[in-house]
Amino acid sequence: MNTLSISLQRDAHGRLVLIDAEGVEHVGVVPVRAFPLSEPGGPVSLVGTDGRERLWIDRPETLPAAARELLDAELARREFAPVIERLLEVSTFSTPSTWTIDTDRGRTTLVLKGEEDIRRLNGSALLITDSQGIGYRIADAKALDRRSKRLLERFL
């Protein structure tokens, strides 16, 4: 399927609509990055409401500008992940525990259900998923302040 001949738009309900090369409308498609951690600018799959792939976009940069802009906006909304800048307090060193943190979006608290919700990414980057399913990123755990590193090390 030629990715240049597709159209992406939003309907009146804010859902993403794919009109494929054959002119078939797919309402409510969701963009999913193929390799979100290792190749964040790489291939994207548009998945229908039934969970089946509707379109594979090998090179998103080949999309028409309007479709690319809509795709980027939807991916940014779906991939919202505040960056943890500092750990202020941890309720307990066993799980579940409540963390008070400063992020690039402001101060908040999160509940860590288990140590398995802390994933190591490449280098010293971490991804922490709270009990609500929100992912928080630590770009470089080694760059955190001393207190934050000490608190974090108890869970790693």
Side-chain angles (χ1 to χ4, degrees):
M1 185 177 289
N2 184 356
T3 58
L4 294 176
S5 61
I6 62 128
S7 171
L8 276 177
Q9 53 191 283
R10 288 204 188 275
D11 67 7
H13 302 287
R15 297 175 296 193
L16 204 57
V17 178
L18 165 69
I19 301 171
D20 65 21
E22 287 80 34
V24 178
E25 239 183 50
H26 304 276
V27 178
V29 294
V30 175
V32 179
R33 290 191 194 276
F35 311 106
L37 303 177
S38 62
E39 194 178 351
V44 173
S45 177
L46 293 179
V47 178
T49 55
D50 59 356
R52 298 180 68 188
E53 183 177 278
R54 296 294 184 261
L55 179 69
W56 175 261
I57 304 170
D58 195 42
R59 296 179 42 221
E61 67 273 9
T62 61
L63 289 173
R68 176 67 194 259
E69 187 176 308
L70 196 56
L71 181 70
D72 288 345
E74 187 68 17
L75 285 168
R77 187 185 68 76
R78 287 182 40 84
E79 296 172 345
F80 171 75
V83 177
I84 295 176
E85 296 174 339
R86 192 166 48 153
L87 279 71
L88 302 172
E89 185 178 6
V90 174
S91 65
T92 177
F93 291 111
S94 61
T95 54
S97 65
T98 303
W99 296 17
T100 303
I101 56 174
D102 277 342
T103 72
D104 60 340
R105 310 269 177 165
R107 185 166 293 174
T108 190
T109 59
L110 68 89
V111 175
L112 182 71
K113 291 186 301 185
E115 287 90 3
E116 66 275 5
D117 291 329
I118 302 175
R119 289 182 44 207
R120 291 183 187 272
L121 304 177
N122 53 356
S124 64
L126 300 171
L127 179 66
I128 300 170
T129 305
D130 76 355
S131 62
Q132 304 285 322
I134 298 173
Y136 294 86
R137 290 183 305 123
I138 296 178
D140 184 3
K142 293 177 184 173
L144 292 173
D145 64 276
R146 187 176 179 174
R147 176 175 168 72
S148 298
K149 282 193 254 185
R150 198 173 59 239
L151 291 172
L152 185 61
E153 285 171 2
R154 302 288 293 262
F155 293 92
L156 297 176

